[in-house]
Amino acid sequence: MQFRPTSILVTGGAGFIGSNFINCFMSRNPGCRVTNLDILTYAGNLENLRGVDKNPDYRFVRGDICDAPLIAALLVEEKIDAVVHFAAESHVDRSITGPEIFVKTNVLGTQVLLEECRKYWQGSTVPDFRYLQISTDEVYGSLGDTGFFTEDTPLAPNSPYSASKTGADLLVRAYHETYGMPTLNTRCSNNYGPFHFPEKLIPLMISNIVNKKPLPVYGDGLNVRDWLHVKDHSIAVETVLKGGKPGAVYNIGGNNEWKNIDIVHLVCDLMDGSLGRPQGDSRSLITFVKDRPGHDRRYAIDAAKIRRDLNWEPSYTFESGIRETIAWYLDNQEWVAHVTSGEYQKYYDTQYGTH
Ligand code: NAD
Ligand code: DAU
């Protein structure tokens, strides 16, 4: 029997993946209530949720996952029967220059959320409950030229970001083992698609190409990432939420490995076509820069378990997904301009009033 959530708490739902998840989930699950708890750091953008914010089943709450009384109140008020925890500090480069906030948000925030969920679930009147932790393939560390991460690969994080995500995963495991809490854990590879904040590789390259700015490629550009469209990730998360076995971990990925330099070349060439520039024009902007310290060489996800046990398959080919993503950024230059100017941070006040 599938689990059928009726009222879900999404944390970090104004970020890149959380907002795509809410847009996708609400269109596929009419009648299910969605409460979005997000503190709106620099990465939170309510403009990503235009449209859905008019849905009477949607509620936005600006708040911190470290705020235990707030979480306790929301769980009860909204009769939450599932928590999908996206909220995090997510950018590896920022974790290298400022790790503290990563530990606070990703480790402590997850513990606070778990603890409030445990108390609520143990005393709850909701018939069933799930807690889903959104993790990352980065918890497994780095691969050599061959092999894949499976769910049994030992955890070996290399950056402060991935170490903090690993700490969170271990707490989730502990809450299942110690209290029997019905937790789920997903570990996905690199996402791409609409609403991706332009500090990450693909949207940064798109934005810099539009503005004819240098395209910084770290090190030799031969590091490998495994890319999945954010809508495929969103549907995978929904699939795990409804069908996953409590206590289990599921890898998510689309068998789509690319060397960074090859992605940058592809984006350059497609954009030269879209912008009517001579082929090769954008490639001339590529600038090799100092490598990221501790830069993981290769990620590659073995997603056989979710495919086999839950019948999930990605629907995008990379070819179609990257073309659609480039078209989205070119069609949504206002969104990009608001992010660049900081205008997006005013959207909360215009919609919800100044507090
Ligand atoms: P993001 O940085 O775009 O969004 C994070 C969101 O969390 C923002 O809206 C931010 O305001 C919110 N947030 C941060 N601190 C908070 C706090 N204390 N309380 C409430 N909200 C807070 O991140 P993303 O790329 O959308 O990633 C979402 C999740 O998916 C993260 O947990 C990340 O580790 C994981 N993940 C990301 C990728 C990827 O490629 N981006 C891949 C695999 C897993
Ligand atoms: O693998 C999943 C992870 O993917 C998520 O857990 C993280 O939250 C998410 O940010 C992403 O991490 P990466 O470090 O892989 O993503 P990023 O876009 O920062 O970098 C992708 C690759 O491109 C990486 O090898 C570093 C390189 N890079 C990145 C930037 C921003 C460059 O060469 N130049 C750049 O300017």
Side-chain angles (χ1 to χ4, degrees):
M1 253 279 273
Q2 284 236 317
F3 170 69
R4 288 273 164 231
T6 60
S7 178
I8 70 173
L9 176 65
V10 176
T11 69
F16 163 48
I17 305 177
S19 60
N20 274 285
F21 173 79
I22 291 178
N23 286 321
C24 179
F25 183 87
M26 292 201 80
S27 70
R28 288 162 52 89
N29 295 270
C32 181
R33 203 160 160 72
V34 174
T35 304
N36 175 10
L37 173 66
D38 196 303
I39 201 171
L40 300 181
T41 65
Y42 78 95
N45 186 346
L46 290 178
E47 293 189 19
N48 302 358
L49 292 151
R50 273 180 203 269
V52 98
D53 53 8
K54 308 281 179 301
N55 187 325
D57 285 326
Y58 172 81
R59 175 182 175 193
F60 176 70
V61 178
R62 187 174 193 172
D64 191 342
I65 53 165
C66 297
D67 183 345
L70 173 64
I71 290 160
L74 285 177
L75 291 170
V76 173
E77 250 172 56
E78 294 291 347
K79 297 188 179 56
I80 299 293
D81 53 13
V83 173
V84 185
H85 179 32
F86 291 97
E89 287 294 333
S90 73
H91 191 39
V92 174
D93 292 333
R94 287 179 188 255
S95 83
I96 294 167
T97 50
E100 298 88 345
I101 187 68
F102 283 74
V103 176
K104 179 169 183 286
T105 302
N106 300 357
V107 185
L108 181 63
T110 298
Q111 186 274 325
V112 170
L113 193 58
L114 280 165
E115 182 59 11
E116 292 315 308
C117 286
R118 178 190 69 77
K119 290 191 271 186
Y120 169 76
W121 161 70
Q122 285 181 332
S124 179
T125 50
V126 291
D128 208 352
F129 184 79
R130 293 287 184 280
Y131 172 98
L132 199 169
Q133 177 75 14
I134 304 296
S135 186
T136 165
D137 59 0
E138 298 204 10
V139 298
Y140 298 122
S142 186
L143 290 164
D145 289 342
T146 57
F148 296 89
F149 298 132
T150 73
E151 289 82 356
D152 296 325
T153 301
L155 304 180
N158 293 316
S159 71
Y161 161 70
S162 52
S164 68
K165 292 295 289 184
T166 306
D169 279 13
L170 294 177
L171 284 163
V172 172
R173 177 188 155 87
Y175 269 71
H176 177 72
E177 295 297 322
T178 307
Y179 309 109
M181 205 163 115
T183 60
L184 296 157
N185 199 330
T186 58
R187 295 183 181 142
C188 190
S189 58
N190 285 63
N191 284 214
Y192 70 97
F195 305 123
H196 205 176
F197 198 82
E199 65 182 353
K200 306 277 176 84
L201 181 71
I202 291 179
L204 180 71
M205 295 301 140
I206 294 174
S207 173
N208 284 8
I209 289 169
V210 169
N211 297 305
K212 297 201 168 197
K213 284 164 69 177
L215 308 178
V217 174
Y218 298 165
D220 60 9
L222 300 180
N223 300 65
V224 173
R225 294 293 179 268
D226 188 354
W227 294 91
L228 183 72
H229 195 280
V230 66
K231 282 189 194 142
D232 282 327
H233 184 195
S234 297
I235 291 172
V237 167
E238 182 183 328
T239 305
V240 171
L241 182 65
K242 291 177 174 173
K245 185 166 164 272
V249 174
Y250 295 89
N251 281 351
I252 303 172
N255 272 327
N256 182 39
E257 291 180 52
W258 284 78
K259 293 188 181 84
N260 291 338
I261 190 66
D262 292 340
I263 290 257
V264 175
H265 283 156
L266 177 69
V267 173
C268 284
D269 296 349
L270 289 172
M271 288 200 60
D272 282 344
S274 304
L275 295 168
R277 294 179 186 168
Q279 277 298 317
D281 206 44
S282 298
R283 284 192 187 208
S284 67
L285 299 168
I286 293 172
T287 313
F288 287 91
V289 298
K290 199 164 169 286
D291 208 356
R292 172 186 279 175
H295 195 176
D296 286 336
R297 193 62 172 169
R298 175 172 166 259
Y299 302 148
I301 273 280
D302 177 344
K305 182 176 174 181
I306 185 174
R307 286 172 187 256
R308 185 189 60 236
D309 293 359
L310 302 180
N311 220 8
W312 170 84
E313 289 287 338
S315 63
Y316 279 86
T317 61
F318 192 60
E319 169 77 12
S320 63
I322 198 75
R323 280 180 189 277
E324 192 186 292
T325 301
I326 289 172
W328 186 89
Y329 276 90
L330 294 178
D331 290 346
N332 288 275
Q333 282 297 303
E334 192 188 48
W335 180 92
V336 178
H338 284 184
V339 169
T340 313
S341 69
E343 178 79 19
Y344 73 108
Q345 288 173 314
K346 297 184 188 148
Y347 192 76
Y348 175 78
D349 290 339
T350 60
Q351 297 299 302
Y352 299 94
T354 318
H355 285 246

